Amino acid sequence: MEISFHATTICAVRKDGKAAIAGDGQVTMGQNVIMKQHAKKVRRLYRGQILAGFAGSVGDAITLFEKFEAKLEEHQGNLQRAAVELVKEWRTDQMLRKLEALMIVMDKDGMLLISGNGEIIEPDDDIIAIGSGGNFALSAARALKRHADMDAKEIAQASLKIAAEICVYTNDNIIVEEL
């Protein structure tokens, strides 16, 4: 099963002990109608200690946020353990298996991409991006991290702005959460 999502861009960056995740605000219906300009696709979980962002169906993402937060509570905020348990349930539960979304989750020590395909990916360079503009934001974030004097929040935000200039499913109404 290949998952391909339009209508969002999420970018997460860790640098110099700080972590930030940015998401655009556009909700696109089908291929040609912008339904909303200011959606919030990033949020804080587990007592404000975990940042999360999603690409995919809003209803599916809310369900996954709730499930992931329950796993965080169950495992005392352990990001990796909660991710593994979420993926196990996502892959085996008949109802959850139908959910189509990707999530980026991060805390002060790490970041992960979580998918319904059972993948949990930790990036090598503390940068990860998902969604239709994800590759544009990822490229921009890597360049900015290597060559600009910017912190994690500034890199995540600037990367989304660059993606919004290129991707028709991404706008520049950006929300950034930072640890």
Side-chain angles (χ1 to χ4, degrees), residues 78-134:
N78 184 313
L79 188 72
Q80 286 79 11
R81 188 72 197 143
V84 168
E85 294 303 318
L86 175 67
V87 167
K88 279 199 240 179
E89 187 174 347
W90 195 349
R91 301 259 308 146
T92 59
D93 182 272
Q94 193 135 345
M95 180 98 157
L96 288 180
R97 200 172 31 217
K98 296 176 183 175
L99 300 182
E100 295 185 2
L102 293 172
M103 291 176 58
I104 295 174
V105 296
M106 63 192 310
D107 62 14
K108 61 183 176 61
D109 299 315
M111 68 171 55
L112 303 168
L113 180 142
I114 304 171
S115 83
N117 293 338
E119 298 182 19
I120 300 172
I121 300 167
E122 185 171 16
D124 292 330
D125 59 359
D126 284 333
I127 302 169
I128 198 160
I130 57 175
S132 59

Side-chain angles (χ1 to χ4, degrees), residues 64-82:
L64 291 169
F65 278 154
E66 289 172 357
K67 290 283 187 185
F68 186 65
E69 189 145 38
K71 298 297 182 192
L72 286 167
E73 289 293 337
E74 186 179 327
H75 298 285
Q76 293 81 40
N78 184 313
L79 188 72
Q80 286 79 11
R81 188 72 197 143

